Amino acid sequence: MTERKSVYIRLDANHAKGMGHLYRMLVLANVLISYRLLITFIVKCNVITENILKSNKFKYLSFPESMSEEDIIVSSISNHKSLPALWVFDVLSTEANWIKLIKERNIKVVCFDDDKGGIREADLVIN
């Protein structure tokens, strides 16, 4: 039996930034699950976001608001037995160096609604 591939979905959702990112990615995650992919959300600490993920039975990693994106990426990747096949960013302004850090580990990157480095560096940008 082959090992199921995983997808990491990186977003921030709160009342200041908007919860639309979370709800959009929940829809995507449910579609990906139908293809037998394992989903892990990666978020910055937010009680409401975490409660929504728990109530939808999604695995997630939560990081302090003050943590740098590079540290979040490295920590997310190093805390798991196997690397994800895909990393999805829904953070609006994805920096090119974040994407390069992920892609150097042979992980494909998709960005949603990006207006920075994602446009040049991602494998796919959905705007």
Side-chain angles (χ1 to χ4, degrees):
M1 187 162 138
T2 60
E3 184 177 326
R4 289 173 59 189
K5 292 184 178 182
S6 65
V7 175
Y8 289 4
I9 299 176
R10 172 71 182 96
L11 65 92
D12 291 323
N14 56 49
H15 290 299
K17 291 184 180 183
M19 298 302 282
H21 297 276
L22 176 59
Y23 292 113
R24 171 170 55 194
M25 290 299 110
L26 286 171
V27 170
L28 176 63
N30 281 308
V31 170
L32 296 174
I33 285 172
S34 73
Y35 288 94
R36 299 197 28 80
L37 296 168
L38 300 170
I39 308 300
T40 300
F41 281 85
I42 300 169
V43 299
K44 289 191 175 178
C45 295
N46 181 276
V47 173
I48 295 169
T49 298
E50 293 175 37
N51 285 338
I52 291 168
L53 291 171
K54 282 179 201 171
S55 70
N56 283 277
K57 297 180 174 45
F58 278 108
K59 181 178 173 185
Y60 69 92
L61 302 173
S62 181
F63 295 96
E65 187 70 34
S66 61
M67 193 169 192
S68 75
E69 194 65 33
E70 291 87 351
D71 288 342
I72 289 171
I73 292 166
V74 170
S75 181
S76 298
I77 291 171
S78 65
N79 284 337
H80 287 81
K81 297 175 209 162
S82 61
L83 295 175
L86 179 67
W87 186 292
V88 177
F89 272 113
D90 192 359
V91 294
L92 187 59
S93 297
T94 310
E95 298 290 336
N97 61 316
W98 304 345
I99 295 173
K100 288 177 183 175
L101 185 60
I102 295 165
K103 288 181 75 170
E104 70 186 19
R105 291 168 172 88
N106 295 317
I107 301 168
K108 299 287 186 192
V109 177
V110 173
C111 294
F112 278 77
D113 288 341
D114 209 287
D115 62 3
K116 284 203 175 179
I119 291 172
R120 291 181 312 280
E121 300 295 331
D123 295 291
L124 176 65
V125 178
I126 300 171
N127 283 333

